Amino acid sequence: MKYLLVLNINPDVLDALTEEEQQAIGSGHQKFMDTIKASGEFHSTVALQQPADSAVVKVRDGLPAVTDGPFVESKEFLGGYYLVDVASRERACELAALIPDAGIEGLGVEVRGVVFADGL
């Protein structure tokens, strides 16, 4: 079954980390990718731009209106995800615990099962 490991980012938490701690996050993500690729559980991953660089599109009365992001007021935002193909929810949670963000106070990794996908 496929699971989305969602990385919700809080910039205030990341800004409070030392440069060394921030670099450890990057190397930890590389180690995580190496692990899930070696096990055959890797499907894909995406890292997203900051919300300030986003746009929101709403169609009203048949006309699109585009506004600059961010689209919600929140301390956290979707920073990216890993899509894994694993045997169980328990395995997805085990993998989520290996992602560096899971070990940082104020952050976490959301594990959500995929119920429909096309083109994967």
Side-chain angles (χ1 to χ4, degrees):
M1 180 164 179
K2 290 181 179 67
Y3 283 86
L4 195 65
L5 308 181
V6 181
L7 307 175
N8 292 307
I9 305 300
N10 182 331
D12 294 336
V13 170
L14 294 180
D15 290 344
L17 300 176
T18 66
E19 186 175 326
E20 183 178 283
E21 290 169 326
Q22 291 177 5
Q23 289 175 351
I25 292 172
S27 61
H29 278 276
Q30 185 60 56
K31 181 179 177 183
F32 177 73
M33 285 192 296
D34 293 344
T35 298
I36 61 176
K37 285 179 179 180
S39 69
E41 296 169 308
F42 176 80
H43 188 280
S44 61
T45 187
V46 169
L48 302 172
Q49 290 181 315
Q50 299 288 321
D53 297 325
S54 67
V56 177
V57 178
K58 295 180 181 180
V59 178
R60 301 296 182 264
D61 297 321
L63 298 172
V66 180
T67 57
D68 292 336
F71 60 95
V72 295
E73 294 296 323
S74 176
K75 290 182 182 180
E76 296 179 340
F77 61 87
L78 178 62
Y81 66 83
Y82 292 99
L83 182 60
V84 295
D85 194 350
V86 295
S88 66
R89 180 179 183 270
E90 291 74 22
R91 178 60 180 158
C93 290
E94 288 173 8
L95 291 177
L98 298 176
I99 297 173
D101 305 50
I104 298 173
E105 188 66 37
L107 300 182
V109 178
E110 181 181 351
V111 176
R112 299 195 56 193
V114 174
V115 295
F116 174 80
D118 189 12
L120 299 176

